[in-house]
Amino acid sequence: MASKGEVFKSKITVYVLACWLLAAFGGLMFGYDIGISGGVTGMDDFLIKFFPKVHERKLHAAENNYCKYDDQMLQLFTSSLYLAALVSSFGASKACSILGRKPTIFLASAFFIAGAAFSAAAEQKWVLILGRILFGIGVGFGNEAVPLFLTEIAPAQHRGAVNILFQLFVTIGILVANLVNYGTSNMHPNGWRVSLGLAAIPAFVLLIGSLIITETPSSLVERGKETQGKVALKKIRGVDNVDAEFQQIILACEQAKKVQKPFKKLFKRESTPPLIIAISLQVFQQFTGINAIMFYAPVLFQTLGFKSDASLLSAVITGLVNVGSTFVSIFAVDKAGRRKLLLQACVQMLISQLAIGWILHVHLKETGSLDRTLAAIVVILVCTFVMSFAWSWGPLGWLIPSETFPMETRTAGFAFAVSSNMIFTFIIAQAFLSMLCHLQAYIFFFFSAWILVMGIFVVFLLPETKGVPIDSMVETVWKQHPVWKKFFTDEAPKSYEMA
Ligand code: BGC
């Protein structure tokens, strides 16, 4: 294989920059949806129309702070999207290989636009849920194709930063959604329709973008279109001589083609380490509790005794912190390394969650609310939590699974990362409000325990991949790791319980 970390010549042309930014709108679509649901489910007009019982309970909130939003159907509104995304991400991985990345991105935006239309126009609950499912298919297609697209068209030396562009746009999407909700919360009675319908805007930009962007050279070569592949490579590298890199793509594709069934190969012994890492990072990412905050920030802040407006404003503040801190990651990831960022974040997230849990446990009873100072402290703690997530588990949960698989299992392995993200996002979205009702402040201790586990996992099991060329991961990383190297020795026992 040609690649041993060789750096090929390239310029960052206006066209390639446009390709990165247009594709990253897929992240914005995903983020917008993460951010919009919480605000919408806190709006009275929306609740009266679709969830009158929840609204009734909210009016009598004084009866129980922690349980006013606990309703399975209401949670299904938020979480059905992720179920649809989970199922569709496998279809999306097929679409990516058969049709290419570009048409898959086009399909993602088309589904999303349809989702926005149905959701905004909904008069019945089933239409609302149908809208969510269409949104979900859009997210499944987008999240599979966009990071793959960005990785494939990025020059190797900028791959980390370009990949994190996706996460940056996710955070921008969440922020924009919070701002939109802030604006529409006083727009009666159809503010919620505006919030849901505006999702069509980033999707529309992505739709137009998908017509402008190039297909990736790898995808073209993979589908036998070698001449077009070379033209595309010249265009995105901005130089005429791309022979060496093109040769590498041809070799990598030939190598990958030898593996007829990448999903089968994924369950072979030597694929276990990257597969465990990819799935665990996504599962842990969700068990930080980030989406309990992202989806339900306005609802959570209302639980803490903030008024509707103030709670949306607090969600805007956390959204801003989320975007700003993602930049830290873009600059630090290739200098400090992945492990340091993840471990530092574990400490900061743990302290924040424990402190929030303690304040709520001591000061927020089932009735009544927090006093202003304590409520402000909780908002600050939520910010320190979100900040550390944003420069670590957020972007690295996507980056590491995309860089640790060898070429032949990369797309199949990444599909597992995407679907693990979706299933655990679904679980958190579906369970959080009930957990809040039953565990009350202890929910923050629940997440703290997970943060401890994931810190230990990083210390012992996560290898450092900073600066390692993507095609020499097996030799340089996996075969050198004290635990994972056992999966590569020929004489290792067939059943591999680790001592
Ligand atoms: C996660 C999302 C989360 C977002 C927050 C992403 O990396 O996958 O679940 O809501 O970060 O910024």
Side-chain angles (χ1 to χ4, degrees):
M1 183 95 78
S3 167
K4 284 277 177 262
E6 198 177 335
V7 174
F8 302 113
K9 278 218 176 93
S10 66
K11 287 191 216 143
I12 299 186
T13 59
V14 174
Y15 179 68
V16 80
L17 209 60
C19 285
W20 293 346
L21 294 178
L22 288 170
F25 264 83
L28 212 140
M29 231 167 59
F30 177 42
Y32 185 86
D33 209 277
I34 292 171
I36 210 76
S37 336
V40 167
T41 50
M43 290 179 194
D44 287 339
D45 296 321
F46 176 81
L47 289 176
I48 293 168
K49 189 162 182 66
F50 296 109
F51 303 94
K53 282 200 197 112
V54 182
H55 185 251
E56 193 61 28
R57 207 172 319 139
K58 188 180 164 190
L59 292 179
H60 302 103
E63 288 162 17
N64 193 330
N65 262 328
Y66 292 99
C67 296
K68 56 184 161 184
Y69 292 102
D70 178 22
D71 180 281
Q72 287 299 319
M73 275 308 280
L74 183 63
Q75 296 179 55
L76 195 62
F77 167 74
T78 300
S79 62
S80 52
L81 184 151
Y82 297 91
L83 211 54
L86 158 72
V87 176
S88 66
S89 62
F90 289 102
S93 97
K94 278 259 173 277
C96 267
S97 334
I98 297 169
L99 306 174
R101 319 327 184 203
K102 190 174 145 105
T104 310
I105 295 177
F106 176 87
L107 286 174
S109 47
F111 278 120
F112 215 78
I113 292 172
F118 275 99
S119 309
E123 287 296 339
Q124 293 93 7
K125 214 186 263 183
W126 70 266
V127 181
L128 193 70
I129 303 283
L130 178 68
R132 295 295 289 168
I133 293 173
L134 288 166
F135 270 143
I137 301 177
V139 167
F141 273 61
N143 281 28
E144 176 73 20
V146 170
L148 212 63
F149 173 87
L150 290 173
T151 301
E152 285 180 347
I153 67 160
Q157 63 272 32
H158 300 303
R159 189 176 286 129
V162 173
N163 185 289
I164 294 181
L165 220 50
F166 173 73
Q167 173 72 10
L168 180 68
F169 272 64
V170 171
T171 61
I172 295 174
I174 296 174
L175 175 65
V176 170
N178 285 335
L179 287 169
V180 167
N181 276 340
Y182 189 58
T184 58
S185 61
N186 291 322
M187 227 182 250
H188 301 292
N190 288 323
W192 63 271
R193 290 190 196 275
V194 178
S195 285
L196 294 175
L198 284 179
I201 294 183
F204 192 68
V205 176
L206 189 69
L207 187 93
I208 302 292
S210 73
L211 302 175
I212 297 171
I213 58 176
T214 172
E215 180 54 279
T216 74
S218 320
S219 171
L220 287 165
V221 174
E222 214 178 1
R223 288 176 295 122
K225 301 181 179 177
E226 296 192 1
T227 319
Q228 281 151 280
K230 192 158 185 181
V231 173
L233 189 61
K234 281 188 185 167
K235 205 166 166 192
I236 58 175
R237 292 293 174 257
V239 291
D240 261 348
N241 187 355
V242 292
D243 292 351
E245 186 174 4
F246 190 64
Q247 199 50 32
Q248 185 193 53
I249 296 175
I250 301 263
L251 284 176
C253 282
E254 275 168 10
Q255 186 84 5
K257 270 188 192 152
K258 286 189 199 139
V259 177
Q260 290 293 322
K261 297 194 168 117
F263 278 99
K264 203 166 164 204
K265 171 96 202 265
L266 210 50
F267 295 106
K268 289 265 155 51
R269 184 182 170 81
E270 64 276 12
S271 299
T272 310
L275 190 61
I276 290 184
I277 293 293
I279 293 177
S280 312
L281 283 182
Q282 287 287 5
V283 174
F284 288 150
Q285 187 203 55
Q286 292 307 311
F287 276 102
T288 56
I290 185 68
N291 280 327
I293 307 232
M294 289 300 149
F295 294 141
Y296 299 115
V299 167
L300 193 67
F301 286 121
Q302 282 188 42
T303 300
L304 298 177
F306 285 81
K307 294 264 171 345
S308 218
D309 254 20
S311 62
L312 279 174
L313 187 62
S314 313
V316 170
I317 295 171
T318 32
L320 272 171
V321 169
N322 197 16
V323 176
S325 310
T326 307
F327 281 101
V328 175
S329 188
I330 293 182
F331 294 109
V333 72
D334 293 316
K335 298 196 177 77
R338 283 67 165 149
R339 279 169 58 91
K340 275 204 191 116
L341 282 178
L342 293 171
L343 286 172
Q344 184 284 336
C346 279
V347 176
Q348 190 167 327
M349 290 191 299
L350 186 66
I351 296 173
S352 314
Q353 293 264 22
L354 287 175
I356 297 173
W358 183 76
I359 293 178
L360 297 195
H361 178 61
V362 176
H363 298 280
L364 184 68
K365 300 298 165 209
E366 287 184 0
T367 55
S369 59
L370 287 181
D371 72 42
R372 284 171 68 103
T373 320
L374 280 177
I377 294 176
V378 172
V379 174
I380 292 171
L381 288 168
V382 168
C383 287
T384 57
F385 168 78
V386 168
M387 183 189 297
S388 45
F389 175 89
W391 62 53
S392 59
W393 292 85
L396 300 186
W398 296 101
L399 172 62
I400 297 175
S402 79
E403 66 181 8
T404 47
F405 285 100
M407 166 72 115
E408 59 272 23
T409 48
R410 196 167 294 147
T411 52
F414 192 66
F416 268 84
V418 177
S419 48
S420 307
N421 179 283
M422 296 304 155
I423 194 157
F424 283 90
T425 306
F426 169 80
I427 290 172
I428 298 283
Q430 190 65 28
F432 177 71
L433 293 177
S434 311
M435 282 168 76
L436 183 66
C437 175
H438 293 106
L439 293 178
Q440 303 196 347
Y442 287 101
I443 192 165
F444 293 96
F445 302 135
F446 169 83
F447 289 128
S448 305
W450 276 100
I451 292 171
L452 205 61
V453 172
M454 60 187 82
I456 297 170
F457 179 90
V458 172
V459 171
F460 293 105
L461 295 176
L462 187 83
E464 179 57 69
T465 46
K466 173 184 90 171
V468 179
I470 198 160
D471 287 314
S472 59
M473 287 287 167
V474 173
E475 296 300 324
T476 323
V477 171
W478 300 114
K479 288 189 177 174
Q480 310 303 325
H481 191 271
V483 174
W484 300 124
K485 69 180 178 194
K486 294 177 189 150
F487 287 77
F488 294 89
T489 50
D490 297 334
E491 59 283 1
K494 282 269 173 318
S495 74
Y496 38 82
E497 296 104 313
M498 280 183 300

